[in-house]
Amino acid sequence: MFYLIILSVFSICAIIVLNEFVDEFILKGGVLYMKPFDFEKKEELLSKGNVVLFFGSEGCPSCKLLKDELAKVNIQDEIDLYYVDIVNKEGRELAVSHRIMSIPVLILFKDGKEVNKIIGYKRKQHLEEAFSKLVSL
């Protein structure tokens, strides 16, 4: 009985910890993983190659739907996808600097220059087309 209680507590703690880190990976091979955006290295991160910033928040239903569609997209290795949580101060400031009025939003950058902005929920096909255009620029 004692072992069962410890195991249950451990399982609940593990689920809570995993939920906290779900958005901190990269998107590769049909499974959604996103890197957290490092605000201190903003210029460096945006200036290199193909970068996509996902602006959203955990409590946003449309953001969840867009994450589900992103998980279906096979992102090329040439694209770095970062998650920007607008709940924190730095995320809000970055959203304001890019004139974001609602979420979810994806901003696509090529070598530091904004080339496309995808506002709201979009289906897999639309996302694949936008990412293909980004890579081919």
Side-chain angles (χ1 to χ4, degrees):
M1 180 74 171
F2 178 71
Y3 294 113
L4 183 59
I5 292 171
I6 290 176
L7 183 59
S8 297
V9 171
F10 179 75
S11 297
I12 291 169
C13 291
I15 290 169
I16 291 169
V17 169
L18 286 174
N19 283 337
E20 293 295 319
F21 294 103
V22 139
D23 294 320
E24 297 189 4
F25 301 96
I26 57 175
L27 176 64
K28 301 288 179 200
V31 179
L32 184 61
Y33 301 105
M34 285 190 246
K35 297 177 187 176
F37 188 74
D38 186 348
F39 296 97
E40 293 177 9
K41 297 181 181 179
K42 174 184 157 187
E43 299 302 322
E44 178 185 338
L45 293 176
L46 294 180
S47 66
K48 290 194 247 178
N50 305 310
V51 177
V52 176
L53 296 184
F54 181 113
F55 289 85
S57 74
E58 290 303 313
C60 167
S62 296
C63 299
K64 167 90 171 86
L65 291 172
L66 184 58
K67 284 180 187 179
D68 292 344
E69 288 299 311
L70 281 170
K72 298 174 188 175
V73 177
N74 187 14
I75 298 285
Q76 298 90 348
D77 289 329
E78 301 93 25
I79 296 177
D80 289 322
L81 177 63
Y82 295 95
Y83 180 73
V84 179
D85 189 350
I86 64 156
V87 173
N88 67 46
K89 181 182 176 188
E90 294 91 356
R92 279 192 308 275
E93 290 172 355
L94 188 59
V96 168
S97 72
H98 287 284
R99 296 186 175 105
I100 293 175
M101 305 299 270
S102 64
I103 54 172
V105 171
L106 296 173
I107 301 181
L108 288 67
F109 293 89
K110 178 75 164 192
D111 297 323
K113 182 181 177 190
E114 182 180 324
V115 295
N116 193 3
K117 188 181 284 186
I118 300 171
I119 301 170
Y121 169 77
K122 302 293 184 225
R123 293 212 174 263
K124 175 186 172 187
Q125 182 180 359
H126 183 90
L127 298 171
E128 286 175 338
E129 290 171 7
F131 294 155
S132 293
K133 286 179 186 176
L134 175 64
V135 170
S136 66
L137 289 177

